Amino acid sequence: MTLIAPAYNEQEVLPDFHRRVVAVLDQMDVPAEILYVNDGSTDSTLSIMRQLLADDRRVSLIDLSRNFGKEIAMTAGLDHARGDAVVVIDTDLQDPPELIPELVRLWKAGHDVVYAQRETREGESWLKKATAHCFYRVIDKLTNVRIPRDTGDFRLLSRRAVDALRPLREQHRFMKGLFAWIGFTQIAVPYRRDERYAGKTKWNYWKLWNFALEGITSFTTAPLRYATYLGLCTSLLAFSYGAFVFWKAVVYGDAVRGYPSLMIVMLFLGGVQLMTLGVIGEYVGRTFNETKRRPLYYTNQVSLSMLAGAARAEAATLLPTPD
């Protein structure tokens, strides 16, 4: 089993995270590697990871060349994970490592993706909870892929699911959507998300807004369709209003309204046009980035534990060979 733990500036919480993960793995008594991915941290996160690498034979390390973002950091971990089951978990301890045995149990029962679904979100403002609640329900209505509600990245993936994800090399990555897009058998495990153990969150509302746009534009063209409908409705309203003004002038001799009404109509139509152009621009920009076909990331260092590779090779030798 491989446990992927991406981190960016998590020096306050990383030692305690490792201690709790090791305690869980010791109780499970299964061959495992802990794959830390340093996403261009500027504090002591990398130094702590290197110390863990030196002290624990189960630890592997990927040091990205700069901060590429959490989605890319998870992708780097998936590219290098060698376990038959792969667990993705944040290092801030909001997602409890003690839930991993339950994820493994359901994987052994035959499920390819076992995702942890939040019942409560401790330590978060009402605004963040409300916006997250709305986001999951909006994207569920807009997309053809069923993305589980109130579900983060904390999950277990089978080797088959990981192998299905690895060829997907799109630049604008919304991993929650990709996890759902591959299909296979998926099941939820409800849990209570804890408050951040230490340090500060790296997500502000501006980043969350951009993340929501990534998710929507990556998995649906519905905004383009709605922009078309908005344009048609606006044109219909403008035509109806113009016909009404012409009818009043002809029947009652009512003079056409002047500057204020003209400015209101012009500003309204201009705003609608700019908004629809912005929606189109979002998709054009993403198409432009995808056509460059740049590598998703570069690494400064990749140090993989020998334990996971040896355990997987040993498991392969136990499988019956074909005649």
Side-chain angles (χ1 to χ4, degrees), residues 217 224 274-288:
T217 54
L224 292 173
L274 290 175
M275 184 179 68
T276 53
L277 282 175
V279 172
I280 296 171
E282 288 289 336
Y283 283 93
V284 171
R286 280 156 175 74
T287 304
F288 171 69

Side-chain angles (χ1 to χ4, degrees), residues 229-244 268-269:
Y229 295 157
L230 179 61
L232 289 174
C233 292
T234 303
S235 299
L236 181 61
L237 288 173
F239 178 80
S240 300
Y241 180 69
F244 173 71
F268 174 72
L269 293 177

Side-chain angles (χ1 to χ4, degrees), residues 105-167:
R105 184 187 69 82
L106 291 173
W107 164 63
K108 289 182 177 179
H111 300 284
D112 287 288
V113 180
V114 186
Y115 55 89
Q117 193 167 46
R118 299 181 288 248
E119 291 185 321
T120 60
R121 302 167 65 106
E122 302 295 334
E124 296 182 355
S125 66
W126 68 268
L127 180 58
K128 187 173 182 180
K129 293 177 182 179
T131 52
H133 177 87
C134 293
F135 167 72
Y136 282 108
R137 282 142 187 85
V138 167
I139 199 170
D140 184 49
K141 296 294 185 182
L142 293 179
T143 62
N144 295 324
V145 179
R146 183 187 173 276
I147 299 175
R149 297 180 178 182
D150 305 317
T151 301
D153 299 311
F154 185 25
R155 67 190 65 215
L156 181 147
L157 305 165
S158 69
R159 171 48 51 181
R160 179 169 70 158
V162 173
D163 290 341
L165 281 167
R166 289 176 64 181

Side-chain angles (χ1 to χ4, degrees), residues 39 53 71 103 117 120 132 145 172 177 180 212 215 225 242 250 284 308 311 314:
D39 189 21
L53 178 68
E71 309 296 291
L103 304 183
Q117 193 167 46
T120 60
V145 179
H172 294 272
R225 192 179 311 116
V250 171
V284 171
E314 180 182 355

Side-chain angles (χ1 to χ4, degrees), residues 191-209:
Y191 79 109
R192 182 179 64 87
R193 196 174 198 225
D194 297 328
E195 187 176 356
R196 168 176 270 273
Y197 184 81
K200 295 181 179 180
T201 179
K202 312 306 181 296
W203 293 93
N204 54 36
Y205 286 107
W206 178 246
K207 290 182 178 179
L208 290 171
W209 167 255

Side-chain angles (χ1 to χ4, degrees), residues 14 32 47 56 102 155 159 187 209 218 237 288:
L14 205 54
S47 299
D56 192 336
E102 178 63 14
R155 67 190 65 215
R159 171 48 51 181
I187 190 171
W209 167 255
S218 295
L237 288 173
F288 171 69

Side-chain angles (χ1 to χ4, degrees), residues 73-92:
M74 281 192 291
T75 301
L78 291 170
D79 287 344
H80 292 84
R82 296 167 294 170
D84 292 326
V86 177
V87 175
V88 181
I89 185 172
D90 292 340
T91 58
D92 56 14

